[in-house]
Amino acid sequence: MGEVRRVLDTNVVLYLLRGMVAEDLESCAYYVSVITEMELLS
């Protein structure tokens, strides 16, 4: 099997940036969509 990849949604990214995530995320590659990126920059 290949590398595990995850796409993070806007709310998850905001929780991470604010330090509101109770548990560490598993070790894998994380990505955000163009839509999420636009929402975060607006």
Side-chain angles (χ1 to χ4, degrees):
M1 284 187 93
E3 178 185 17
V4 175
R5 293 178 268 171
R6 304 269 190 245
V7 177
L8 300 178
D9 111 322
T10 305
N11 291 326
V12 173
V13 175
L14 289 173
Y15 289 158
L16 287 168
L17 291 173
R18 294 177 182 158
M20 297 171 62
V21 177
E23 299 178 15
D24 290 337
L25 297 177
E26 66 181 271
S27 180
C28 67
Y30 292 98
Y31 300 92
V32 294
S33 70
V34 173
I35 301 298
T36 296
E37 199 172 331
M38 289 172 48
E39 289 175 339
L40 292 170
L41 294 173
S42 66

